[in-house]
């Protein structure tokens, strides 16, 4: 009888342990976490890589694996499919997912300006002098459904066109985007540095017409009507955050330390810490691009409530699903994981 009771007790314990181990989203709490990056060489995601280069993840007791993906939509898909735990992507996607009644939440903000540029190819198949000229044109974005695609649709709508008026093509964000523009495979593209600066260096600054530029506060004010517009963040599902709060706090702490390091160091010092291949063969241009990008990085990782509201307002202007969905923006981000 005693043996039977002991055996039953052991079985109950084993089943309980198996159930705990099988809970979705709890893998990373032990210190291992996979982050999908929507274009790792892009400067908007620089803090994600720099935190690794500086050893800040390791200092937090984390083993972080970075997975480079073509764009934000691909990174989001990877998270939904379970191949990554966290995404280094744009805040836009947390609002997009809430409109679909799926809880995705950002927990540290890296970028306060989108740093997106809409440029015309030097080999465009037609004259393009304004955003309205993009109707029917082939326009490159990092990937369809990514924040670069959202930005294009917003601008088209803002200028009186249907958000789908341009023919969208996914061209990636780094070397692929530069090649597509240089070769005229697209008439224009929504680009992010260092790709913009590399293209201008290769073909000449005067050969690359810039239609709009959100790398500065002035550009953000002109396009969005606000002084700041939260962009790159770390986000994950509500379920993962509920099961991995300690890991999220460690990640947020590593990123905030990195943001402070960026503020205190020169573009040249920052470039020296980054993988050399990100410069695409021209370190001077890479350093200059970092210099322009420094202003756009957050200082403290905080998501301002008015910034979240601005993003929602912009997305609602071209996305009917977001415009019509009940929205609780407080469920799309949290500042609770930031260092106190």
């Amino acid at each position: 009888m005693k043996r039977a009771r002991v055996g039953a007790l052991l079985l109950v314990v084993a089943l309980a342990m198996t159930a705990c181990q099988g809970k979705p989203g709890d893998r990373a709490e032990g210190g291992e976490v996979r982050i999908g990056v929507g274009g790792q060489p892009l400067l908007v995601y620089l803090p994600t890589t720099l935190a690794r280069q500086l050893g800040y993840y390791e200092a937090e007791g984390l083993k972080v694996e970075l997975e480079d993906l073509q764009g934000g939509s691909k990174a989001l898909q990877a998270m939904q499919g379970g191949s990554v735990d966290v995404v280094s992507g744009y805040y836009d996607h947390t609002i997009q997912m809430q409109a679909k009644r799926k809880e995705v939440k950002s927990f540290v903000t890296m970028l306060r300006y989108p740093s997106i540029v809409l440029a015309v190819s030097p080999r465009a198949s037609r004259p393009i002098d304004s955003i309205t000229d993009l109707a029917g044109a082939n326009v490159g974005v990092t990937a369809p459904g990514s924040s670069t695609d959202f930005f294009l649709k917003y601008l088209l709508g803002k200028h009186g066109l249907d958000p789908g008026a341009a023919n969208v093509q996914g061209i990636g964000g780094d070397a692929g985007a530069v090649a597509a523009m240089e070769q005229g495979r697209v008439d224009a593209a929504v680009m992010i540095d260092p790709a913009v600066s590399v293209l201008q260096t290769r073909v000449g600054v005067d050969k690359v017409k810039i239609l709009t530029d959100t790398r500065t506060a002035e550009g953000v004010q002109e396009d969005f009507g606000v002084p700041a517009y939260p962009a790159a963040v770390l986000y994950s599902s509500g379920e993962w955050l509920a099961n991995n709060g300690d890991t999220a706090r460690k990640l947020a702490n590593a990123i905030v330390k990195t943001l402070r390091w960026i503020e205190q160091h020169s573009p040249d010092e920052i470039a020296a810490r980054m993988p050399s291949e990100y410069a695409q063969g021209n370190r001077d241009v890479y350093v200059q691009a970092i210099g322009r990008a420094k202003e756009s990085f957050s200082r403290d990782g905080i998501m301002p409530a008015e910034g979240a509201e601005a993003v929602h307002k912009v997305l609602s202007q071209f996305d009917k699903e977001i415009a019509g969905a009940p929205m609780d923006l407080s469920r799309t981000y949290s500042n609770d994981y930031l260092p106190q």
Side-chain angles (χ1 to χ4, degrees), residues 226-241:
V226 292
Y229 190 92
V233 299
L234 290 189
Y235 68 73
S236 190
S237 66
E239 182 180 23
W240 186 89
L241 286 168

Side-chain angles (χ1 to χ4, degrees), residues 92-93 96 145-154 315 318:
D92 299 355
H93 292 290
Q96 178 192 31
S146 293
S147 293
T148 50
D149 189 12
F150 294 166
F151 182 65
L152 173 63
K153 286 179 168 57
Y154 164 69
L315 296 178
F318 67 85

Side-chain angles (χ1 to χ4, degrees), residues 19 66 77 122-123 125 188 204 218 242 267 288 318 336:
L66 301 181
Q77 289 169 13
R123 300 185 64 181
S125 63
E218 293 76 18
Q288 291 168 16
F318 67 85
D336 295 341

Side-chain angles (χ1 to χ4, degrees), residues 74-140:
K74 301 296 184 183
L76 174 61
Q77 289 169 13
M79 187 198 75
Q80 291 177 304
S83 61
V84 301
D85 306 298
V86 174
V87 170
S88 177
Y90 272 38
Y91 170 65
D92 299 355
H93 292 290
T94 69
I95 294 176
Q96 178 192 31
M97 287 296 100
Q98 185 168 128
K100 299 179 184 296
R101 299 184 179 180
K102 296 180 180 179
E103 187 168 347
V104 174
K105 185 178 292 187
S106 77
F107 56 93
V108 59
T109 302
M110 298 182 287
L111 209 65
R112 55 182 180 165
Y113 307 147
S115 298
I116 294 173
V117 174
L118 178 55
V120 179
S121 166
R123 300 185 64 181
S125 63
R126 60 165 87 181
I128 297 177
D129 298 309
S130 67
I131 290 169
T132 55
D133 293 331
L134 295 176
N138 295 320
V139 182

Side-chain angles (χ1 to χ4, degrees), residues 245-266:
D246 188 52
T247 297
R249 278 185 282 274
K250 290 177 178 178
L251 285 172
N253 192 49
I255 292 297
V256 171
K257 285 168 62 178
T258 303
L259 292 172
R260 291 170 180 164
W261 192 94
I262 290 171
E263 185 179 10
Q264 296 165 3
H265 291 77
S266 70

Side-chain angles (χ1 to χ4, degrees), residues 8 40 54 66 90 119 121 134 152-153 164-165 180 183-184 197 205 216 219 225 269-270 274-275 307 314 331 336 338:
Q40 197 172 342
L54 294 172
L66 301 181
Y90 272 38
S121 166
L134 295 176
L152 173 63
K153 286 179 168 57
Q183 296 164 14
S197 299
V205 173
T216 65
E269 290 172 316
I270 296 169
M274 295 296 289
V314 165
R331 298 182 68 86
D336 295 341
L338 298 174

